[in-house]
Amino acid sequence: MELVLSPSKLWGEIYERGDPRTKDYPLVLNPCFVFPLLASYLYFVKVAGPRWMEKRKPFNIINLIRFHNAFLVVTSVVFLYILLKMTYLPGGRYSLWCQGVTGYIDEEMTGYYKYGWIFIAARYADLMDTVFFVLRKKFTHITHLHVIHHTMVTVNVWFFGLYAPEGQPALGLAVNCFVHIIMYSYYLLATMGPAVRKYLWWKKYLTRLQIIQFIFGIAHMAIPLFVDCGFPRHLILISIPQGFLILCLFINFYIKAYRSRNTARNEIPSMGSCNGRRGSFPLLNLIMALMPSPSKLLWEIYEKGDPRTKDYPLVLNPCFVFPFLASYLYFVKIAGPRWMEKRKPFKILNLIRFYNAFMVVTSVVFLYILLKMTYLPGGRYSLWCQGVTGYMDEELTRYYKYGWIFIAARYADHLDTVFFVLRKKFTHITHLHVIHHTMVTINIWFWGLYAPEGQTAFGLALNVFVHVIMYSYYLLATMGPAVRKYLWWKKYLTRLQILQFIVGISHMSIPLFVNCGFPRHLVLIGIPQGFLILCLFINFYIKAYRSRKTAHPQLPSMKNGNGALLKQE
């Protein structure tokens, strides 16, 4: 087992795996620069900046903003031209349909790659948008969508710039540059005063254009999953979930901004096309027509699954999981609130009690089984770093045989949100709540099907332990005032969840530095999601317990449909 812990050795390993055409870029692809930059950005825009500006007047930086917007327009135009010239324009060597990683380089491309770091630096300059919001005290503009988007763009520019600076992402990058040209042109024109703003009637179409960009990008990026053209599929599995997340956030913003307001119908932009008329997506239709049939796709997904779990009934079948998830999202965000609009809240206290008790019992049982199989005496797992062994004996066979019951129980977590809807607690259905439940479902499916053992076991055990405590609290909270007075520890639940993610992310990252047989690309899939949820929980904690002047015990929990019971039942 090779241990790599010193920063110099870690950087050496990361550097060694980078693409030789980009890994020598100055600073912009150096993780010792990128991640401190990102941490500083998040700390400034969410904590230090608002504090610093609290008693100051907004800065008058209109000329600086104009220069920033003009700079990004120019760099985007130049890079879009260079990118298309190297790829899809006549003389380029790229397939518009599916493009692998070739490693090709000639004298002209060497010149382009040599100065590619300038574009990466320009993309990092996007972060200045948020800094300007802080300096102008436009704190309401610093939304989850804004910060998550900028953070994920920075991480992805670093990751793909270092490891895959060519291939299938090129078309999505070109489309993104085109959108940036339009977007920053609008922002530049908007700073020119009322004489120009009256011509900016097309503002409302910007979000729609971004949504179309993500739909198109996800569809195109998915092609190598079905067509073997030499582009690594694990890179697609890293990027597509992020694309879906940002797409959902943009759609959520669009619905709130344009569909939920009481404006006239003719002022509401259509999702169909960029000209305000409903249209079709010819390329998307072509992609769908050429994709394999659902049965072939399901067979390919099934074939790659772990033989110990892939035969589970329904719970790991994508034809069940993703329609189930889509139905959940549709019900809790659209259909449920509409259905409850003119109805009174349901009184379902006994149902909630049974649900919480069920979740406690199943979590305790599974935690015992999991620890017995792994870390307790007699288990075969290393607490430090555990690879995928494929080991199986008679006892493990029996446990795996009924493992689908636990997965089904985890899907039952979604009833939290259903209870919110039925009790008309719509304010509790937050970004944190829905994103968390959605990502848990996808991860249960993914890890259950492809990696049901190994390093993830420790984080899973920790999560189940937290669930035991959490659902025990929710159960006790339904027992009335006689019990509630002993629930002084409510405020520590969010802290416990935050601590869980910190420990889980730290432990999950060990295989990046220690070679113990756990696939590192799976770590790269898991850790960014953990960081995202951690940031959302920390953001909630700051708002709920640090920024409000009300007493802590009066604040509802964001995790479960029972938090409001402390106020109502």
Side-chain angles (χ1 to χ4, degrees):
M1 186 179 293
E2 181 185 356
L3 184 63
V4 183
L5 288 180
S6 72
S8 59
K9 289 184 178 180
L10 172 59
W11 166 236
E13 184 167 340
I14 293 176
Y15 173 84
E16 185 181 357
R17 295 174 183 272
D19 191 287
R21 294 166 292 183
T22 60
K23 65 181 181 181
D24 291 328
Y25 280 173
L27 280 182
V28 292
L29 295 182
N30 186 331
C32 296
F33 166 77
V34 175
F35 290 98
L37 168 71
L38 201 52
S40 302
Y41 161 77
L42 292 171
Y43 180 71
F44 178 79
V45 302
K46 299 298 288 185
V47 182
R51 287 180 182 173
W52 183 61
M53 291 297 298
E54 187 175 2
K55 296 181 180 180
R56 288 177 169 83
K57 293 182 179 180
F59 285 89
N60 185 5
I61 51 175
I62 188 69
N63 289 328
L64 177 60
I65 293 175
R66 286 172 180 166
F67 173 80
H68 169 75
N69 292 330
F71 171 77
L72 289 177
V73 170
V74 172
T75 54
S76 296
V77 169
V78 172
F79 183 77
L80 179 60
Y81 168 73
I82 294 173
L83 178 61
L84 292 177
K85 183 179 179 182
M86 291 169 56
T87 55
Y88 303 112
L89 291 180
R93 297 174 176 84
Y94 269 39
S95 164
L96 193 62
W97 175 245
C98 189
Q99 178 62 44
V101 177
T102 64
Y104 176 82
I105 197 83
D106 59 18
E107 186 175 350
E108 184 181 20
M109 292 184 73
T110 300
Y112 289 141
Y113 271 110
K114 183 178 180 181
Y115 298 102
W117 67 270
I118 298 175
F119 170 73
I120 296 176
R123 292 311 301 266
Y124 293 165
D126 283 353
L127 300 174
M128 292 301 298
D129 289 346
T130 331
V131 175
F132 294 152
F133 284 149
V134 173
L135 297 180
R136 299 172 65 221
K137 301 187 76 168
K138 301 286 185 180
F139 302 126
T140 56
H141 291 41
I142 306 174
T143 61
H144 288 317
L145 168 60
H146 183 90
V147 176
I148 291 173
H149 185 203
H150 277 52
T151 301
M152 293 180 69
V153 165
T154 302
V155 173
N156 278 278
V157 166
W158 168 77
F159 180 81
F160 283 95
L162 185 60
Y163 295 110
E166 65 160 331
Q168 191 70 2
L171 184 62
L173 182 59
V175 173
N176 183 257
C177 284
F178 172 73
V179 171
H180 270 66
I181 292 169
I182 298 176
M183 191 171 64
Y184 282 104
S185 296
Y186 169 83
Y187 296 148
L188 176 61
L189 293 171
T191 66
M192 300 300 179
V196 175
R197 285 181 199 151
K198 63 182 179 181
Y199 299 107
L200 301 181
W201 51 267
W202 43 278
K203 171 186 177 182
K204 60 185 178 181
Y205 297 111
L206 282 177
T207 303
R208 192 186 316 169
L209 181 61
Q210 290 172 305
I211 290 173
I212 293 173
Q213 168 202 187
F214 283 110
I215 294 173
F216 175 84
I218 291 169
H220 186 263
M221 191 66 180
I223 292 174
L225 290 177
F226 317 113
V227 178
D228 186 8
C229 62
F231 190 81
R233 292 184 175 181
H234 67 271
L235 295 181
I236 299 173
L237 294 175
I238 292 173
S239 62
I240 285 183
Q242 301 178 59
F244 269 116
L245 171 62
I246 296 298
L247 174 63
C248 291
L249 290 176
F250 267 98
I251 291 176
N252 181 70
F253 166 75
Y254 180 87
I255 291 172
K256 287 184 176 180
Y258 296 104
R259 294 290 186 183
S260 300
R261 295 176 183 174
N262 294 323
T263 53
R265 280 188 175 270
N266 59 359
E267 294 178 357
I268 298 177
S270 166
M271 293 287 285
S273 65
C274 291
N275 58 10
R277 303 183 185 90
R278 291 195 175 273
S280 60
F281 300 93
L283 181 58
L284 183 58
N285 292 336
L286 177 63
I287 291 171
M288 296 301 293
L290 294 176
M291 280 173 57
S293 67
S295 60
K296 289 183 179 179
L297 174 59
L298 176 59
W299 172 251
E300 185 168 344
I301 292 175
Y302 171 84
E303 187 181 9
K304 295 178 182 294
D306 191 287
R308 294 167 292 182
T309 60
K310 67 181 181 181
D311 291 329
Y312 280 173
L314 281 182
V315 292
L316 295 181
N317 187 330
C319 293
F320 166 78
V321 175
F322 290 98
F324 166 76
L325 196 56
S327 301
Y328 161 76
L329 293 172
Y330 179 72
F331 177 80
V332 302
K333 298 297 289 185
I334 300 175
R338 287 180 182 174
W339 182 62
M340 291 297 298
E341 187 175 3
K342 297 181 180 180
R343 289 177 169 83
K344 293 182 179 180
F346 285 89
K347 294 182 178 180
I348 50 175
L349 181 58
N350 289 329
L351 175 60
I352 292 175
R353 285 173 178 165
F354 172 80
Y355 166 76
N356 290 327
F358 172 79
M359 297 302 289
V360 170
V361 171
T362 54
S363 296
V364 168
V365 171
F366 182 76
L367 180 60
Y368 168 73
I369 294 174
L370 179 61
L371 291 177
K372 184 180 179 182
M373 291 168 55
T374 54
Y375 303 113
L376 291 180
R380 297 173 176 84
Y381 270 39
S382 165
L383 191 61
W384 175 244
C385 189
Q386 178 62 43
V388 177
T389 64
Y391 176 81
M392 206 66 173
D393 59 18
E394 186 176 349
E395 185 178 19
L396 281 171
T397 301
R398 184 168 62 254
Y399 287 142
Y400 271 109
K401 182 178 180 181
Y402 297 103
W404 67 270
I405 298 174
F406 169 73
I407 297 176
R410 292 309 302 267
Y411 291 166
D413 280 352
H414 293 84
L415 286 171
D416 290 346
T417 331
V418 174
F419 294 152
F420 282 148
V421 173
L422 297 180
R423 299 173 65 238
K424 301 187 77 168
K425 299 291 182 181
F426 303 125
T427 56
H428 290 42
I429 306 174
T430 61
H431 288 317
L432 167 60
H433 185 91
V434 176
I435 291 173
H436 185 203
H437 277 51
T438 302
M439 293 181 69
V440 164
T441 303
I442 293 174
N443 277 278
I444 286 289
W445 168 76
F446 179 82
W447 296 101
L449 186 59
Y450 295 111
E453 64 161 331
Q455 188 71 3
T456 51
F458 180 80
L460 181 58
L462 188 62
N463 180 259
V464 176
F465 171 72
V466 171
H467 271 65
V468 172
I469 297 176
M470 193 171 63
Y471 282 105
S472 296
Y473 169 83
Y474 296 142
L475 176 61
L476 293 172
T478 66
M479 299 302 179
V483 175
R484 287 179 202 156
K485 63 183 179 181
Y486 299 107
L487 301 181
W488 51 267
W489 44 277
K490 173 185 178 181
K491 60 184 178 181
Y492 297 107
L493 281 178
T494 305
R495 293 184 191 178
L496 182 62
Q497 289 172 305
I498 291 173
L499 180 62
Q500 168 203 183
F501 283 109
I502 293 173
V503 174
I505 291 169
S506 301
H507 187 265
M508 187 66 180
S509 66
I510 291 174
L512 292 177
F513 318 118
V514 178
N515 184 14
C516 63
F518 190 81
R520 292 183 175 179
H521 67 272
L522 295 182
V523 178
L524 294 174
I525 292 174
I527 285 181
Q529 301 177 59
F531 269 115
L532 171 62
I533 297 299
L534 173 63
C535 291
L536 290 175
F537 267 98
I538 291 175
N539 180 70
F540 163 71
Y541 181 82
I542 291 172
K543 288 184 176 179
Y545 296 103
R546 297 294 184 185
S547 302
R548 296 181 184 178
K549 295 181 180 180
T550 55
H552 286 207
Q554 296 175 347
L555 296 172
S557 168
M558 297 292 290
K559 176 64 179 73
N560 185 276
N562 309 278
L565 289 169
L566 294 177
K567 291 184 177 181
Q568 178 178 334
E569 304 295 349

